[in-house]
């Protein structure tokens, strides 16, 4: 998730509305098309060479999942979109990766956009846009690049595990979204760990100098995750409430289940958000406590030795007539007095609990 | 309530939707099944050896409460669930202890999940998930482990105290939920006590070094209790508003009563939440006040003795011609002058109210 | 308003729902029953010896107000309740003083609970629960103890002042609630005065050491008053909007008037709440300003005398060859130099506006 | 706007509902009644001697505006009210100046209360309550005292400028409210200027000691203006949405226009509110920055001269055998060393950017 | 965007409602009228000399866009407005540049006001009001001055790029609004950059003295941008939801697209708002950290040298009998002791991590 960029939503300034332009940065990826075509009994898995190979699946009776990796191949995507009769604005949204999670209903299909979140090797959150088209008997999915969270789903289709092979395309879409939402849990788990690491660091006093910068960055990260996840609740809610003929009644229960998960994730995010705001407060009290300690050391040292130095100064004066100077035991008496003062001071500071 | 864990709601990453997998940590508990079967006149209490023994109660005319302790016995729970015709997603939710309080309505039963809260011996909040199935003439309840807040309910059933033996299963469910909600009051009472202990500690200045950590933990605790309790309001509200045939009209008044209690608890929680946020502010002013006091001591000591030391330094100089040095009473006059300065300083600081 | 107590709403843990148990602390009050029975022409005022004496009023044509003081007399209240056919849950709520202001509608009567607020002699807010039953031609009221805000209402009934004798029971209920709401204004007036006293104290710098504790207590007080008053708005709103046959159309205008008053009170409370939150901020800046002043004194004293002391120290050295020491006017020249430095420092600090 | 007063909304404690009692403080004003009676062609302007003179206007066909100054003349107002058949509660509200802006609809008239805001000569906000009665062909207006914002309206009526003489009473009411709302803009403009003056003062560091008190007062002022203006939005919205026969369709557009203005004012107020909250934060950082500067001066002075003084002290010791003392150039070497240390220190502090 | 001004919404105090008065500051601009008249096949572009030249376009079948630059030419605008039968209030709103974004529906046209935002050369946000009239086959647009964000639209019309020449006036309006909304993205991108620059500056410690002033200004800027953009969401939503015959069904999809963009912009603004609020907190901790460092230097210097100076002072006393003075190696022993103390201190401070 590059920090600086506010993706302009759809086009360069002055660009014609309706242009299909990829706005992301992964323009060197290869195009990769895969297709799963299955019924209760059979399952075919294909690596497609070109988009045209996918055209036949539109009217089969079997359920088909066509997964497109590589949003920079706008021509192929337009070709595919035209075959499946997608609206030009849908095509634009697919390749413009600054979409907010949303659902748009068209006559023959549903268009769902959401964000796939995961941590990369450097512990940075990656937010990849995934778009789905749910047709009568097919699901099209579009991703920026290869590598996703759907491997378990692929396995289940291949090996006919679970219900997926017994259900239609609407259940397939559920399975895919569910896989994405499941990953949200691991993302926020890591966020939670980070917050607790900060807490521990602050409480133990072992903070780096850039702790407040790190906290600010974490705050930003949480705000971004929030933005990726929160609108999805509304999307799923609309699927659940809506009476699209593309979603069967018996599948709705499953979408309700995703909705429950999203509420759980959202609540966790909001708790984290509240926790992180109080981190700064805590850091502030830590700093103040430290300063307090510094001041105490200074005050104790100064309060003890400044008066003693004054007394020594008195008897360093060169007046001709200072009676004490002649007296033989003066020096020792003075030492005694000084030690008494010293101990008195110590006692005073101890009573004040500064020592 | 383990701190680190964000329970993934339903399955391991990639797990098939519909798998019944226990997600908690109490996997060493024994399975314990108990049943109460009663009418106005009679009451039978049974310790069941196996789930099959509970099957007959489904079609009796008497009211039955079957309580299952031990969510790790997923096979038995599935067996029971299948007999009582529960939806697979319900079974999953029962054994996945990361549920949010919720109610799901199915054709023949209501499914209610909520959190039982209590403090354990170490004054840590324990949050245990309890699920209820309300059927036409039975209530099934599922708990993670033995030990609950239902003993008083059991007594009332045995001894026919109160209305419970005169009413049906919907009232039994009310009684059980009511017992749980009653415990919320004792939980928040302890929370309130903790806040006041912190206040007292901060005001008296007798704070441990980790006070802000403790406050942060308490904040977290309140947020978690909040999360366990707040969604329950919506659940009870839906029972009250809904016209499920499983809840009789005359019982609704009782559910409204629970709703009132939940609002009371919620309001208290929100007040505590506001109080705890201002605790940090207060702690901050306390620290600043202390620093102020430290600085005053330093300033008073330094302001009094530094000028005096300077004067003593003057007459410690070795110039050959310093007229005062020869004068016989110089030393005593100087002492007099110094004492006057000293008293002047004291007066000045007293006037400034620093002393 | 005892601070520590979170009243458990209805019963001891494990208590049977439906038990009529007084949860307050004033268990030594005497039972006091008074009755007003009036028509446009006549008015009878009675001190009842026992609840049975009140039974006849149920079916008279005149309007009756029966006021019960002493919620610890649960038996008498149950007896009365049974005669007037009150639901068991209503009886429980009457004697359980932890109710939130609410209205419950039953077939033959309305049940209204609210909080009477006033300051006692020690300037502590007292919150006493008052319950009303509005029947066709009677109002029952229940208070914890004698002493209330209804004396003016009693006078008006006795002396036929205002409209009360010309109207029915619904107007009587309005009059009683109005008397309570009127007292809210004096309560928040005192709250407002307290806030301004704090402000004045903080600005004048004459703060006690426990000022932040007092602010915290005031915050708590406001939150509690808020909790007592805010739900009442909803109660009155429901009376106004509802079409209960017990409230006549022409009386509704008067309830709307109460509603307006409650909105006014609520707005004041919210303003006070906002003001009190900024009190802590202000206190903080006051502390910091003071510390600043302390530091300035220290810095001025130290900056002036430390360099001078250093110079005096120089000429206190015992080197055999220090040319200046022999020169006759050295001492006076040095004094001159020191005074110049001193004045220079003063000028510098004055320019910095520290003096 | 006196600060201390929370106006009790309608009556002294225990006062009979329905009493017409003036609650303001301007009881020495003279009663002043003026009337405008106009049609498209003619316009009569009258200074009425007594309220009875206004009675004839009730049934004329021309449009009449009767303006009453002096709310302390409750008898005259009651007389007028009775003639125009106003509800007793309306009369109470007119003379009770603690009303919240509101609209009440009665059978034959609309009752609108709002606040006229302006700054007096001492730059204090004055909030004067103005009540309007809109009847079929007349508008009654009630103000506390003479002096208002309606002069331009009077001119327009007299000179038949604009549409006012061509329209009916509903447009007249619009014109009057519009004049009041227009003044809100000048009020918030002054508020905005005040905030910017504070900002400038804080940033330039030229703050008075009571700046935080002034900020607190401004905060309070904004909260009060907010309270006077915000409810009016709802009032106008109800006029716009409602289908009162007293407001003609073609006039509604004009009320919508007022509504737009109120939204603009409200948004400005909320922005100011947010700005003022951050003023305290800014002030706090300013204080801290100053303290930082003070500390730096102290630290620099002390760090430079304390070590030097120590060295001078060393050679002021009276040991019999200190080899350096005898050496002829010791003194000058020492001076050299001290100057080197001094410059080193300067260099160090400059590197730290403290100088 | 001049800072000081709260534009009074419509008229000078006392001005007649309905007056067309320009409230902006650009009164020296020249009037510039341009017109595009196009069908699918042809396109005419005209520079109009006077408003009368635009009158014929009202009833043509082709689509016409008339763009008026120069709101100070109120006479010409009134003339134009009268020809196109605009309501007087609409004309007022067009030339009063303090409008909030809004949509008003009239019988034959829609009136839309919004704000065009861009940064000028000095990196100040400029907010220019643009009004649109959408009629059956024409769009009128009104701007304060020449120079806008529509050049790309002009090109597309001229060169028949995109859909614009194939669609009607409702699509033209969409295109124009879309161009404005697209510019919002670049504005908030710059805002985001500014926030990050502040963060970097604060973290690196290289802050100017007026950083908090700059932050405050940025806060204000964000609040203003927010105010310009947020109401527009409601405007577009109403276009989308409404069933105005002026907006064709197929165009609605495009407006929904704008709506999505506005939500994206709004979310970014709210994130920036949250980020900027925490900037002050961060700055505060930075200041405190610096003060801490200053204090440490002072404390270390004072704690090391004050005790040493005291010891030197002791042996500078002039008592006749101080045994150590006579001893030959005293001086060297003392030096040794002092160095040990010095090192001990260093060790102590290092252990405390102050060094």
């Amino acid at each position: 998730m590059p920090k600086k960029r506010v993706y302009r939503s759809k086009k360069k300034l002055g660009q014609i509305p309706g242009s299909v332009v990829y706005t992301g940065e992964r323009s060197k990826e290869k195009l990769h098309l895969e297709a799963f075509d299955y019924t209760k009994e059979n399952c075919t898995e294909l690596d497609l060479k070109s988009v045209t190979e996918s055209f036949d699946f539109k009217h089969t009776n079997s359920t088909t999942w066509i997964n497109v990796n590589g949003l920079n191949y706008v021509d192929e995507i337009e070709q595919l979109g035209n075959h499946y009769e997608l609206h030009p604005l849908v095509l634009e949204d697919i390749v413009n990766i600054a979409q907010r999670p949303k659902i748009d209903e068209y006559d023959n299909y549903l268009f769902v956009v959401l964000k796939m979140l995961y941590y990369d090797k450097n512990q940075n959150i990656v937010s990849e846009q995934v778009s789905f088209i749910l047709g009568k008997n097919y699901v099209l999915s579009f991703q920026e690049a290869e590598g996703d969270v759907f491997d378990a789903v692929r396995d289940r289709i291949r090996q006919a595990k679970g219900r997926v092979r017994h259900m239609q395309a609407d259940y397939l879409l559920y399975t895919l979204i569910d896989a994405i939402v499941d990953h949200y849990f691991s993302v926020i788990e890591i966020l939670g760990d980070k917050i607790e690491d900060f807490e521990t660091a602050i409480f133990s006093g072992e903070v780096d100098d850039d702790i407040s910068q790190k906290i600010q960055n974490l705050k930003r990260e949480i705000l971004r995750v929030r933005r990726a996840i929160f609108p999805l609740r509304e999307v799923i809610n609309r699927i659940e409430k809506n009476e699209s003929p593309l979603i069967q009644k018996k599948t709705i229960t499953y979408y309700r289940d995703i909705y429950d998960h999203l509420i759980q994730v959202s609540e966790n995010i909001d708790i984290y958000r509240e926790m992180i705001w109080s981190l700064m407060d805590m850091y502030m009290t830590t700093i103040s406590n430290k300063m307090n300690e510094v001041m105490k050391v200074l005050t104790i040292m100064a309060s003890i030795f400044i008066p003693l130095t004054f007394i020594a100064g008195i008897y360093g004066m060169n007046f001709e007539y200072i009676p004490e100077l002649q007296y033989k035991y003066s020096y020792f008496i003075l030492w005694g007095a000084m030690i008494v003062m010293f101990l008195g001071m110590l006692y005073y500071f101890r009573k004040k609990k500064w020592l």
Side-chain angles (χ1 to χ4, degrees), chain A residues 305-316 334 337-338 341:
Chain A
F305 287 104
I306 286 181
L308 296 181
T309 304
F310 161 68
I311 290 170
I314 287 289
Y315 293 104
L334 194 79
M338 280 176 168
M341 277 178 68

Side-chain angles (χ1 to χ4, degrees), chain A residues 54-67:
Chain A
S54 76
F55 287 178
D56 296 340
F57 296 118
K58 193 178 169 192
H59 297 293
T60 57
N61 281 327
S62 52
T63 305
T64 314
W65 171 28
I66 298 166
N67 181 30

Side-chain angles (χ1 to χ4, degrees), chain A residues 308 333-347:
Chain A
L308 296 181
I333 289 168
L334 194 79
W335 261 119
M338 280 176 168
I339 288 168
V340 166
M341 277 178 68
F342 180 81
L343 295 176
M345 282 295 193
L346 284 191
Y347 176 75

Side-chain angles (χ1 to χ4, degrees), chain A residues 37-54:
Chain A
D37 187 67
Y38 60 87
T39 60
K40 213 175 291 188
E41 294 80 23
N42 301 310
C43 169
T44 325
E45 184 178 355
L46 294 167
D47 253 14
L48 306 181
K49 294 283 171 297
S50 79
V51 288
T52 47
E53 292 184 33
S54 76

Side-chain angles (χ1 to χ4, degrees), chain A residues 202-291:
Chain A
I202 287 174
F203 291 138
S204 71
E206 287 168 359
V207 292
D208 301 324
D209 281 356
D210 58 350
I211 181 96
S212 62
Q213 187 165 18
K214 283 180 182 166
I215 291 176
Q216 182 81 338
N217 285 343
L218 186 54
K219 220 180 272 180
R220 192 192 303 269
E221 218 166 63
I222 287 178
L223 287 174
R224 293 230 163 113
V225 169
R226 203 168 176 262
R227 190 159 57 133
I229 294 177
F230 272 48
L232 190 54
R233 295 186 303 190
E234 182 49 25
V235 170
I236 302 299
N237 194 32
R238 276 181 59 188
I239 293 183
E240 197 191 322
K241 290 283 171 320
N242 235 354
E243 303 186 339
S244 164
L246 291 163
I247 308 278
Q248 301 172 62
K249 201 140 197 195
K250 68 177 174 188
T251 324
I252 297 243
T253 314
Y254 292 93
Y255 282 99
R256 206 196 321 165
D257 200 56
I258 294 184
Y259 186 75
D260 283 352
H261 294 195
L262 283 171
I263 297 288
Q264 283 176 39
V265 176
S266 307
E267 281 184 342
N268 273 304
I269 291 174
D270 277 341
I271 287 183
Y272 289 159
R273 205 175 157 213
E274 200 155 324
M275 299 314 285
I276 208 170
W277 272 99
S278 48
L279 274 184
M280 283 304 279
D281 278 8
M282 246 174 280
Y283 181 45
M284 200 65 205
T285 60
T286 311
I287 296 175
S288 293
N289 267 326
K290 268 191 195 165
M291 182 131 42

